[in-house]
Amino acid sequence: MYTPLPGVSAFDEELVERFEQTRETRGEGYRPRTRHLLPDGRAKYTNRLFLETSPYLLQHAHNPVNWYPWGNEAFEQAATLKRPVLVSIGYSTCHWCHVMEEESFENEEIARFLNEQFIAVKVDREERPDVDAIYMRAVQALTGHGGWPLNVWLTPDRTPFYGGTYFPPDDASGRGIGFLSLLKGLRKAYDDQPGQVEEIGRQLTAHIRETLSPEGGKALPSAELLVAAAQFYKSRFDPVNGGLAGAPKFPSSLPVRFLLRYHRRTGDREYLEMAKRSLVKMAAGGMYDQAGGGFHRYSTDESWLVPHFEKMLYDNALLVIAYLEAYQATGEEDFARVVEETLRFIERDMTAPGGAFYSATDADSLTPGGEREEGYFFTWTPKELEAALGSERSRIVGRYYGVTEKGNFEGRTILHVTDSLTAVPENRSPPETELRAILPEAKEILYRERNRRPPPLRDEKILAAWNGLTISAYARAGLVLGNPRYVGQAGRAAEFLLANLYRDGRLYRTYMDGKAKNNAYLEDHAFLIAGLLDLYEATGDLRWLTKAVELDGILENHFEDRANGGFFLTRDDHEKLLVREKPAYDGAEPSGNSVAVLNLLRLHEFTTNDGYRRRAETTFRYVSETLRSNPVALSEMLLAVDFYFDTPKQVLIIAPQGKKADAAPLLDTFRREFLPNRIFSLVTEGEELRSNARIVPLLEDKEAMDGKATAYVCENRVCRLPTSDPAEFANQLRKGKTAPGGS
């Protein structure tokens, strides 16, 4: 029933039986992703990845390659057969991973040689960031760059000796050495030059260990590093398009949240304008999905026009918070609009039935001719626009979004804002107010019409870390915009994670097909803790703060390097790899250490437990040399450094028992203030106040004065005079340090 893979004898009966059981579980609706099909539509080939739940691994489950998932079985087999190991790492929405799969891993000739001469292992980098980080560092050392697909060759003891990213299938492509030629050369070198292979592996392993888990520093950082980072970003800023100068442009390359804080710290409006221009230009470009909301992964050009079309959950969660803070700092409604549209995209396209959030959508989709093409789903022609909107409305909308016959991407148009609303109409078009009324309806029509096309693949695994970021996004948006529906969405997601990915004192990283699997990493804990702290501030529900404290206890006991400072990526009982990494670089995603240290500072302010502050300081000491020499390498940690050198406010609102709604005027005042370095608690008198005060001691003895909702603004545990007057509350929020004699 199962066609033997090229170069491989038939599978044993036990494995075939597991294939059969899995096939029955997948059901009649299962569609294999391969060009090698039998007449009845079933896959000609099946490999061990068919037994996995990762969407990326399942994409390769019917390649003719004899893939193994990462694990002891593959490396034991390599040792027995005395073969090198190919470890190929990617993720489900990776465009060039798809290209290499189609060109090489679906090629039967290449598969035969690979199966006969190597052991082949597939890794989903989103499930195993620990494996990805180690071998990415090896490839970067060998080639000077990295990326996905990541292909690295190991000895059976998991030591790397060669690697690269994308390889074309053959030498004739003009894109470098062909994959088959490379495989033949590497196998020959492995057999003929074992000493050289061993020496390369030794050097790479030493480099990996030195860079992924360095000794670290001893001194606390100084506030001067904030100045150095700000000056770096100023010197590299693109004054026309925002972001850092050059291309490609990633949203994370210019940390706008740091710039907003630096403006607040110094009063220098130039940094505020840098943040604003970057956010405005990103939201106007093709990197922002004008019809459906949400951001694509990055822009291939300097003007944010042509994106790489995949959409990642983490990008959108992080950008929601950036735009939300910009809205608070500037009061500009367009920033709030982008927040709402992006959250709507997540709600409509990325939310699982249980309330948690899916991981990503692909860059590629099917054209009407059945070809897989990047960006087709998101692009338009004038004819398509007219069919959806009608002639008059499509003329207005098409002009606004730059839709032309020539197009700007492979003969089609990526929607982008060509100019301001007032510049669009010419003589015959409606006034700006009417245009503003047309656009939301038009975007909704285009979104619905677009959904009639074959959609991009969606990666439906649920990752604890990325869900933690998204919980933060919804909770903060709910608090700042006064939208209880957003807060409810954050709560449902948190409930799902705690019910399905957290059991017996252990957090798991992934959830797919009803199963939680893979040990959670540092970032899973840190991002979820941050989300729970944000959810507590948005609700006043003590269970979220209690769970945050509980999860931080796991980090302290199982991840923290108490002797040298900082947190390891993996738990102390995790699989032993070449190195136990301590992440100290903020890229497209923040590092777990950067978020964890800010969590500790926030927990210190909530609980007054000085142990949290001391633990934060040990992490600062560990990364102090990186912060001193290259502060922009830890751009997210700059937020924690800014918090540390500020005097954070403790903002409390006490409402009369059963009358939390009475706090609305004070809460509205709080929402309007950009006050990043603070904690916030809104509770009602009675049992809620008493139970909260057991963890947040500053709530003790606070009351709603004269039966009215009352605000307390405190610094260093010293509070100003309580007030029920929103104007006075605003004045206290804007003031600096607490005046002597406050109570």
Side-chain angles (χ1 to χ4, degrees), residues 263-281:
H263 161 254
R264 181 177 175 274
R265 174 177 285 273
T266 64
D268 190 334
R269 286 194 60 85
E270 186 170 5
Y271 293 97
L272 178 63
E273 294 303 320
M274 287 167 62
K276 285 174 57 179
R277 176 162 290 272
S278 300
L279 294 174
V280 167
K281 288 293 187 178

Side-chain angles (χ1 to χ4, degrees), residues 633-696:
L634 283 164
S635 54
E636 187 78 14
M637 194 172 285
L638 296 177
L639 308 187
V641 174
D642 185 70
F643 193 107
Y644 182 73
F645 284 110
D646 200 354
T647 305
K649 287 184 170 65
Q650 302 93 37
V651 182
L652 316 171
I653 298 178
I654 313 299
Q657 187 167 8
K659 296 181 178 180
K660 189 169 278 191
D662 287 3
L666 294 173
L667 189 55
D668 287 343
T669 298
F670 176 73
R671 288 178 177 130
R672 287 193 292 270
E673 297 297 322
F674 177 53
L675 197 67
N677 299 333
R678 51 92 183 129
I679 60 162
F680 175 67
S681 186
L682 167 58
V683 298
T684 56
E685 290 182 307
E687 180 54 35
E688 184 176 67
L689 176 59
R690 287 190 293 274
S691 60
N692 273 263
R694 285 193 283 270
I695 294 183
V696 186

Side-chain angles (χ1 to χ4, degrees), residues 350-501:
M350 301 294 284
T351 302
F357 307 104
Y358 297 134
S359 293
T361 60
D362 209 328
D364 302 349
S365 61
L366 295 178
T367 67
E371 298 295 321
R372 190 169 294 278
E373 186 175 301
E374 181 173 9
Y376 183 88
F377 181 81
F378 297 100
T379 53
W380 297 85
T381 65
K383 185 177 180 180
E384 290 170 343
L385 210 68
E386 184 174 351
L389 299 174
S391 58
E392 178 61 18
R393 189 160 46 179
S394 68
R395 182 184 68 80
I396 298 167
V397 173
R399 178 175 169 83
Y400 182 65
Y401 285 130
V403 181
T404 64
E405 291 290 346
K406 182 180 179 182
N408 55 27
F409 182 75
E410 298 182 0
R412 300 172 63 80
T413 297
I414 304 165
L415 302 185
H416 62 291
V417 179
T418 57
D419 215 328
S420 68
L421 286 171
T422 53
V424 174
E426 294 182 324
N427 295 328
R428 297 175 296 157
S429 297
E432 181 181 347
T433 53
E434 189 174 342
L435 187 57
R436 286 191 181 277
I438 287 173
L439 283 174
E441 182 183 6
K443 287 196 285 189
E444 184 64 23
I445 292 170
L446 293 178
Y447 172 80
R448 292 199 304 266
E449 181 64 26
R450 191 177 73 184
N451 281 351
R452 297 162 63 90
R453 304 170 183 172
L457 175 147
R458 181 171 63 189
D459 185 329
E460 295 189 352
K461 72 174 176 294
I462 291 164
L463 291 173
W466 298 2
N467 271 257
L469 293 175
T470 313
I471 290 167
S472 282
Y474 271 100
R476 290 190 180 203
L479 177 60
V480 171
L481 302 180
N483 189 326
R485 189 168 59 82
Y486 292 159
V487 179
Q489 181 64 66
R492 285 189 293 275
E495 294 276 16
F496 183 94
L497 263 62
L498 294 173
N500 293 284
L501 284 88

Side-chain angles (χ1 to χ4, degrees), residues 534-596:
D534 291 329
L535 194 49
Y536 171 72
E537 291 188 333
T539 62
D541 189 334
L542 187 61
R543 60 181 169 150
W544 305 126
L545 181 56
T546 302
K547 282 296 179 186
V549 170
E550 184 179 316
L551 286 167
D552 176 72
I554 295 175
L555 284 185
E556 182 179 18
N557 293 323
H558 298 287
F559 288 80
E560 193 164 358
D561 184 348
R562 299 184 186 181
N564 302 300
F567 294 85
F568 293 104
L569 176 65
T570 55
R571 188 172 162 130
D572 51 12
D573 59 0
H574 190 74
E575 172 191 356
K576 188 175 181 180
L577 300 171
L578 289 183
V579 62
R580 192 178 178 203
E581 181 189 0
K582 283 206 247 178
Y585 176 76
D586 294 322
E589 299 174 58
S591 71
N593 269 298
S594 291
V595 176

Side-chain angles (χ1 to χ4, degrees), residues 624-636:
S624 60
E625 182 55 32
T626 299
L627 284 170
R628 184 194 64 77
S629 61
N630 187 20
V632 299
L634 283 164
S635 54
E636 187 78 14

Side-chain angles (χ1 to χ4, degrees), residues 30 78 103 117 132 203 210 222 293 310 327 336 347 409 424 443 549 630 679 687 737:
Y30 178 74
E103 292 177 341
Q117 302 297 325
D132 178 59
Q203 292 180 10
E210 181 182 343
S222 73
E310 63 189 296
Y327 169 65
E347 183 179 342
F409 182 75
V424 174
K443 287 196 285 189
V549 170
N630 187 20
I679 60 162
E687 180 54 35
K737 297 182 182 296

